[in-house]
């Protein structure tokens, strides 16, 4: 009996030490110093691109809206892109790759993951793997994971700090959104006007440095298209509840977050067509995906949850 208790005590103590070390190994900000030499220069370049994606010389021609990577991967208290603690932090992301992607039905590299975001959230063209911009962005994201243990993700291509939050949030909000009605849309509009419009504009076009959420200006789409994660009623709600209002993440109730994104994603967004977002094979080289045809629209995104966007909005303004 004493022997068993001793074994249990030693095991418990070991678990506490392991848990303590794991917690200590999880950074909450970017490393204090950049790597030396050319690697450090590449990390700094990647950071600059993530901050100014739609205007940076290396990426502006691949962006089809007014967003930057920091629009979703918010700056933390250290001012660095992707270090805010909510869903979509970059911290730990590099430790998960190579990782399986259900969307692409293939094992993805970190460059794949970043570049694919250009087609969706940036409503643009997919950068070519191993080009300077692609390597630089991956170098910066990798730098944010220094000191963390590697654990390749066999289920989804994202940071271990996000995977459970994404999976739980997506399932949880899917159940809520499937019950959505016009009343939820009306409530989402009221909540948006009270909690969001002061930063993102009543018309969703953005205000100052705060990003746009929908619509067009001079014939150019302002925000993410219907292939982006934010365009999905469940994932968008999970992200909003985790991060918004800015600096007040986790203050929105479940139904509030769901209704806000029901309203936002029922507004005009560009259709997504995978084939149009890829460069010709002669220029792009290998596209690491088994899914070569994919299309989405505002209407199809609502249909995914058994919803008719016309009934939700109470009009017929969405094509």
């Amino acid at each position: 009996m004493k022997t068993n208790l001793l074994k249990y005590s030693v095991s418990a103590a070991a678990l506490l030490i392991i848990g303590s070390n794991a917690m200590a190994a999880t950074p909450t900000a970017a490393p204090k110093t950049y790597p030396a030499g050319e690697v450090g220069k590449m990390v700094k370049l990647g950071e600059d691109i993530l901050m100014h994606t739609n205007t940076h010389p290396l990426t502006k021609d691949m962006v089809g809206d007014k967003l930057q990577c920091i629009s979703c991967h918010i700056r933390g208290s250290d001012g660095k892109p992707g270090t805010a603690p909510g869903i979509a932090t970059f911290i730990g992301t590099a430790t998960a790759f190579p990782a399986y992607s259900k969307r692409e039905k293939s094992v993805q590299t970190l460059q794949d993951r970043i570049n694919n975001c250009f087609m969706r959230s940036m409503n643009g063209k997919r950068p070519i793997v191993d080009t300077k911009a692609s390597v630089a962005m991956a170098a910066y994201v990798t730098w944010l994971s220094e000191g963390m243990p590697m654990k390749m993700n066999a289920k989804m291509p994202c940071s271990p700090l996000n995977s459970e939050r994404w999976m739980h949030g997506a399932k949880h909000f899917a159940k809520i959104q499937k019950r959505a009605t016009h009343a939820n849309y009306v409530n989402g509009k009221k909540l948006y006007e009270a909690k969001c419009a002061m930063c993102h504009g009543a018309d969703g076009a953005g205000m100052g440095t705060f990003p746009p959420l929908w619509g067009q200006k001079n014939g150019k789409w302002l925000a993410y298209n219907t292939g982006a994660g934010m365009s999905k009623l469940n994932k968008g709600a999970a992200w909003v509840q985790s991060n918004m209002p800015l600096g007040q993440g986790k203050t929105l109730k479940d139904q509030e977050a769901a209704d806000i994104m029901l309203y936002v994603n029922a507004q005009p967004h560009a259709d997504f067509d995978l084939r149009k977002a890829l460069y010709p094979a002669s220029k792009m080289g290998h596209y690491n995906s088994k899914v070569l045809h994919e299309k989405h629209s505002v209407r199809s995104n609502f249909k995914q949850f058994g919803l008719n966007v016309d009934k939700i909005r109470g009009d017929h303004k969405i094509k």
Side-chain angles (χ1 to χ4, degrees), residues 20 30 40 62 85 97 133 139 171 200 230 275 290 309:
S20 176
M62 292 175 277
F97 287 85
K171 291 178 181 178
H200 298 288
M230 283 294 290
R275 300 307 303 176
K290 294 180 180 178
V309 70

Side-chain angles (χ1 to χ4, degrees), residues 41-53:
K41 291 179 183 179
M42 194 63 78
V43 168
K44 291 177 184 178
L45 175 61
E47 180 180 344
D48 192 32
I49 292 173
L50 296 177
M51 294 277 283
H52 309 99
T53 325

Side-chain angles (χ1 to χ4, degrees), residues 27-283:
T28 57
K32 298 295 184 184
T33 58
Y34 292 99
E38 292 300 318
V39 174
K41 291 179 183 179
M42 194 63 78
V43 168
K44 291 177 184 178
L45 175 61
E47 180 180 344
D48 192 32
I49 292 173
L50 296 177
M51 294 277 283
H52 309 99
T53 325
N54 66 322
T55 57
H56 195 282
L58 293 180
T59 52
K60 64 180 183 179
D61 293 336
M62 292 175 277
V63 177
D65 57 25
K66 294 293 185 180
L67 300 182
Q68 301 93 26
C69 294
I70 57 170
S71 299
C72 292
H73 303 282
I74 302 171
R75 286 178 287 183
S77 58
D78 59 359
K80 302 292 186 183
T83 60
I87 286 180
T89 179
F90 279 143
I91 293 175
T93 296
T95 68
F97 287 85
Y100 180 74
S101 170
K102 184 178 180 180
R103 184 176 66 193
E104 278 79 28
K105 292 185 173 19
S106 67
V107 175
Q108 299 275 293
T109 67
L110 179 56
Q111 284 192 53
D112 286 327
R113 177 62 173 162
I114 295 170
N115 295 358
N116 289 346
C117 203
F118 274 72
M119 300 190 292
R120 300 166 188 272
S121 295
M122 312 308 288
N123 189 39
K125 291 281 190 179
R126 183 182 190 270
I128 302 168
V129 170
D130 288 344
T131 52
K132 192 172 185 179
S134 181
V135 173
M137 290 184 286
Y140 172 79
V141 174
T142 300
W143 177 59
L144 295 184
S145 297
E146 281 195 346
M148 296 183 68
M150 286 194 63
K151 177 69 174 177
M152 289 191 292
N153 197 324
K155 294 183 178 180
M156 60 192 305
C158 74
S159 167
L161 304 182
N162 286 331
S163 57
E164 287 301 318
R165 293 190 291 190
W166 266 127
M167 292 174 70
H168 172 76
K171 291 178 181 178
H172 178 66
F173 280 105
K175 294 177 182 178
I176 296 174
Q177 298 292 37
K178 287 178 180 179
R179 302 193 297 266
T181 66
H182 177 62
N184 294 113
Y185 175 85
V186 172
N187 187 51
K189 183 176 187 293
K190 291 178 180 178
L191 288 167
Y192 178 86
E193 291 171 346
K195 296 176 178 287
C196 314
M198 66 185 72
C199 292
H200 298 288
D203 59 356
M207 300 276 284
T209 59
F210 296 101
L213 300 181
W214 73 78
Q216 292 178 291
K217 185 175 182 180
N218 299 325
K220 183 176 181 178
W221 290 101
L222 299 176
Y224 55 86
N225 65 39
T226 52
M230 283 294 290
S231 76
K232 310 307 176 185
L233 299 180
N234 56 339
K235 293 180 179 179
W239 186 94
V240 163
Q241 187 180 57
S242 177
N243 293 288
M244 293 289 124
L246 190 61
Q248 302 175 51
K250 299 181 182 178
T251 60
L252 291 173
K253 296 178 181 178
D254 289 356
Q255 195 64 60
E256 289 178 325
D259 289 355
I260 287 171
M261 288 313 290
L262 185 78
Y263 172 72
V264 169
N265 283 331
Q267 306 310 312
H269 287 84
D271 291 349
F272 176 71
D273 184 340
L274 174 63
R275 300 307 303 176
K276 294 180 179 179
L278 297 172
Y279 286 112
S282 59
K283 178 179 179 180

